[in-house]
Amino acid sequence: MPRLRRAPHVHKFGGASLADSAAIRRAVDIIRTHRGEPTVVVVSAMAGVTDALLEVAHQAGSGDERALAALISQLRTRHSEAARDLLGSGRAGDTMLSHIAEAFEELEVVALKLRRRELTSRITDHVISRGERLSARIFAAALQGSGIKTEYVDAVEVIHSDGVFGQASPDFVATDRAAERALLPIIARGAVPVIPGFLSATPNNEVATLGRGGSDLTATLLARALGAQRISLWKDVPGLLTADPRVVPDARVISQLHSREAAELAYYGAKVLHPRALIPLAGRKIPIHVRPFDEPSSEGTEVSEQVAPGRFPVKALTAAVGQALITVTGNGMLGVPGIAARTFHALHTHRISVSLISQASSEHSICFSVPEALAIDARDSLLREFQGEISRREIDGVEVTPGMATLAVVGLGMHGTPGVAAGVFSALAKGGVNVVAIAQGSSELNISVVVAAADAAEAQRRIHAAFQLSRIAGGSVVQPERMEIVLLGFGQIGRVLSTLLSRVERPALSLNVAAVIDSSGFVFDPDGISSRRLASLAAQKRKGKPLAKLPSGVAATAEEALSHIAGYALTRPVLVDLTADDTAAALEQALTHGMDLVLANKRPLADRQAISNALWQTAKARGRRILHEATVGAGLPIIDTYHKLVESGDRVNRIEGLLSGTLGYVLSEVSDGVPFSRAVRAAMARGYTEPDPRDDLSGMDVARKALILARLLGYQGELTQSGVESLVPKWARALPLKEFLSRSEELDDGWKRRAAAAAAEKSVLRYVAAVTPSSIVVGVQAVPVTSPLAAIRGSDNQLVFVTDRYKANPLVITGPGAGAEVTAAGVLNDILRLAGA
Ligand code: ADP
Ligand code: ASP
Ligand code: MG
């Protein structure tokens, strides 16, 4: 037997990853990026093909020939099209097309014969085995076509089983031997074997399937036989999730799972893994990665022998629907040894596998769940077994309740953590879900409950919610409350904020930056990016390097970054928007993924009414919060004051004030006699302005803040250009910056006259924003020197609240309203407020 220099990597592509030629091409690319290592590929049938072939088998039996012909022809077209796209019209393509044609002609013949015969599992297996065989052949040819040495190896040459059709169990010894013999020489000569999943050889060398989803098992069997270094199962999900995402929309990726936990999930019905896929790996140190086909650089979920430090006693949950509960009751069972043993022996002999057993401590009854389809068989075999006891009335009877679901709550950390079961039951009770039976294994790895199938989805969402927020152990906080922060925008404010965050010292709160996103991409670490690493990222960013170009940076749009991040089990995630961009779409997405929002970015809330309303509505519908203190007056408590006034029963009728450091500075200089052009240059030199000072001089920034305040007061509507006075005349708007600056002296005279006119009236020029529930006015005003606004100089902000209570003597807030330090402080306050600290 040849020995390999490196252990191989077994890849399995699931059905969803093989939808069409484009998907197959991507799968081929994935293998190409791993070309440096010995590789084995297992493929499922193309998406939906197994179901379609099963339908062929059933239709054949029922005899609707037109429907049957249409089904077969659709399947043939799908395969032929994929083959033609991938292989072109050369020899490889032609060979494949005629192979496909033959396979379907043979299928037609089989279908014809079926009309006169009863459908058996043996024939069904024969029919559906085509799906995997075809996709594996197409895949192998495409891989070969991409320049990689490839060899198709049929499953019956490597996977051996007991030959139970439809549900074959692998024969490890025979498989180990055959796989080694068939595959090692291929791998040793640098070629990639491609094997159809799901199929096995019976002792008579017929084909028997390993049960639905069986390709996962093919992969683990081969990995075992070849002593693989690891297994990648490529699927349509970002990894193994805390629950089935179709049932629990905010299910999250678990980055690492112990193989016993994964086995438990698979066994109790999590569709993502074949129930017996982990058995071949018992005792072998071969990690499995459940990986997203859409994102080949991601490691997805690692399933291994490693025990992750137990932050979460409960890791995941799953449900098997279509279960029936069988109850054996009777007074005569009391203290009679062996009833349980005989019950399960009887079921075993009928190959009925029981998924949950619970025995009342009085031993008055035993109840267990089995798949609905087997319930009648199970009952009959028990009635036979206990014939004697029943006739003597020691056993009352055997009762079957269909329409049940078994939920399993799984996690190694449950062992020794008190209150987990209580948490499960109180979550269910709150949801009005009736628990029909319960069982907790002595390993405490799993708590199972039986509920009505109709309640299964609600039950899962309830349990998921109850354990997600690290409120484990029945409600008390066992760890410091963790909050995970995603920074959208990593410029100056982001850098200051990350320093501030690292200095927060609260024993009950742990703030972690999980990700930073910029316009190029993102850096993400579900365990939190250390403050040292953040500092080094910040240093690189300052040098002009985008995140995507940094080590572990990933190129992505904000939306892509968020959907990646949202896939992980982040605790109390908060998205902090520090950009100045139109981020409404990304924010919507963050809200739907269960994140709270903290905004320093004004744009989304100052966008069109429909857009900002939509954000608030989504937040409300999802029970999320949006805090945005830093959008107006940086760190000054303006929004907070507004809310406090309203909460205490006051009504705010008008807010007015100075909201721009740049305009405040320029106009107070001009009022002091400094030429406008010089004041603008000085504001630039002091760092008050945006890179192009016209962004501030146009008044738009103030107008956005005014709109946000007005909307707080109930203003419905848009910002109208006419309500905003720009200090940049029309002719100067489109000039290049340099030219604007060199020609800005032309503006000096006009401003000199305006300042003089104001002075004559004992007034000074200020750029004032005034909002009421029905109006917004933003522009230059001559304010009397006696007014509080006149006293403000330089870049400070001032806001005046006129309310029912504060009428004659309004409430005034003054202080620095710009700058990275104060803005970051405002953002931090919002984060702490969300944390409830
Ligand atoms: P494959 O393409 O490899 O056959 P499957 O379709 O069998 O993959 O498994 C992936 C599907 O399993 C997902 O699309 C998802 O809907 C479902 N699923 C159920 N429970 C989970 C879970 N806990 N984690 C991830 N996916 C799950
Ligand atoms: N194609 C088979 C199924 O749909 C096996 C698999 O996908 O793993 O169940
Ligand atoms: Mg599957």
Side-chain angles (χ1 to χ4, degrees), residues 661-739:
T662 301
L663 292 171
Y665 177 82
V666 169
L667 290 182
S668 53
E669 291 290 287
V670 166
S671 287
D672 284 352
V674 178
F676 179 80
S677 57
R678 193 159 1 124
V680 170
R681 286 204 190 90
M684 284 177 76
R686 285 164 181 249
Y688 292 159
T689 68
E690 296 292 314
D692 185 335
R694 284 172 294 184
D695 291 342
D696 300 296
L697 297 174
S698 71
M700 271 321 287
D701 186 58
V702 174
R704 288 200 185 100
K705 294 175 186 167
L707 182 60
I708 291 174
L709 289 176
R711 283 180 176 163
L712 268 184
L713 303 195
Y715 178 84
Q716 290 287 324
E718 312 297 340
L719 205 57
T720 51
Q721 201 61 47
S722 57
V724 182
E725 180 180 347
S726 172
L727 304 199
V728 189
K730 277 214 179 75
W731 60 262
R733 288 182 194 161
L735 296 180
L737 176 58
K738 253 205 177 132
E739 200 177 329

Side-chain angles (χ1 to χ4, degrees), residues 12 213 216 235 271-272:
K12 184 219 107 164
D216 295 331
K235 299 198 180 241
K271 190 205 171 211
V272 62

Side-chain angles (χ1 to χ4, degrees), residues 21-22 184 198 204 273 375 449 460 554 636 689 692 746 772:
S21 57
L184 280 184
F198 185 42
N204 300 332
L273 273 182
V449 298
Q460 288 176 78
V554 179
L636 295 177
T689 68
D692 185 335
E746 296 173 28
T772 71

Side-chain angles (χ1 to χ4, degrees), residues 746-760:
E746 296 173 28
L747 300 170
D748 290 351
D749 276 353
W751 282 106
K752 202 169 159 189
R753 275 196 301 277
R754 260 181 110 166

Side-chain angles (χ1 to χ4, degrees), residues 354-575:
V354 172
S355 68
L356 169 142
I357 305 164
S358 106
Q359 178 162 25
S361 53
S362 68
E363 296 184 31
H364 182 79
S365 70
I366 297 177
C367 105
F368 54 88
S369 64
V370 298
E372 241 163 19
L374 304 177
I376 297 306
D377 270 3
R379 187 194 59 192
D380 293 349
S381 64
L382 292 175
L383 289 176
R384 270 196 305 279
E385 174 69 33
F386 293 119
Q387 224 169 7
E389 282 80 359
I390 292 171
S391 66
R392 292 195 297 275
R393 307 254 164 126
E394 289 164 7
I395 285 182
D396 298 337
V398 179
E399 198 183 312
V400 176
T401 323
M404 296 285 136
T406 310
L407 262 57
V409 180
V410 172
L412 271 176
M414 282 161 41
H415 176 70
T417 307
V420 176
V424 171
F425 299 126
S426 80
L428 293 177
K430 276 193 204 124
V433 175
N434 183 31
V435 176
V436 183
I438 48 177
Q440 173 161 17
S442 57
S443 66
E444 290 190 40
L445 184 62
N446 161 343
I447 295 174
S448 304
V449 298
V450 177
V451 300
D455 288 339
E458 179 65 15
Q460 288 176 78
R461 288 193 281 268
R462 292 277 170 175
I463 299 174
H464 197 264
F467 285 97
Q468 252 241 308
L469 305 179
S470 63
R471 287 202 191 97
I472 309 145
S476 62
V477 178
V478 281
Q479 305 266 339
E481 192 109 35
R482 197 177 155 93
M483 206 162 175
E484 318 222 47
I485 296 166
V486 175
L487 297 181
L488 180 60
F490 198 48
Q492 214 188 344
I493 303 172
R495 296 196 285 269
V496 178
L497 179 63
S498 47
T499 316
L500 296 182
L501 283 169
S502 68
R503 293 200 202 124
V504 173
E505 274 180 33
R506 299 195 191 225
L509 179 67
S510 137
L511 294 172
N512 299 276
V513 176
V516 287
I517 306 175
D518 72 2
S519 53
S520 74
F522 67 100
V523 171
F524 172 56
D525 184 342
D527 296 326
I529 305 176
S530 70
S531 36
R532 264 192 39 215
R533 182 126 173 273
L534 270 176
S536 107
L537 292 175
Q540 300 278 352
K541 279 282 289 181
R542 218 173 4 239
K543 285 191 208 141
K545 280 241 176 92
L547 288 174
K549 292 267 152 54
L550 299 181
S552 73
V554 179
T557 63
E559 275 92 339
E560 286 163 354
L562 281 172
S563 41
H564 175 86
I565 294 162
Y568 285 78
L570 297 187
T571 313
R572 307 193 62 189
V574 184
L575 180 79

Side-chain angles (χ1 to χ4, degrees), residues 12-16 42-51 54 128 131-132 135 197-199 209-218 235 271 274:
K12 184 219 107 164
F13 294 95
V42 174
V43 288
S44 295
M46 289 176 73
V49 165
T50 306
D51 287 332
L54 279 170
I128 63 179
E132 265 68 14
S135 68
F198 185 42
L199 313 177
T209 60
L210 300 166
R212 292 306 301 266
S215 304
D216 295 331
L217 180 55
T218 309
K235 299 198 180 241
K271 190 205 171 211
H274 181 277

Side-chain angles (χ1 to χ4, degrees), residues 243-256:
D244 186 337
R246 294 164 299 183
V247 179
V248 182
D250 60 348
R252 304 299 164 101
V253 176
I254 309 161
S255 54
Q256 199 273 337

Side-chain angles (χ1 to χ4, degrees), residues 10 37 85 121 142 181 185 233 240 348 423 432 553 583 615 657 675 688 701 743 763 770:
V10 177
E37 58 189 13
D85 278 0
S121 316
R181 194 176 326 119
L233 303 177
L240 242 154
H348 176 74
T583 50
L615 278 176
Y688 292 159
D701 186 58
R743 289 182 58 187
S763 296

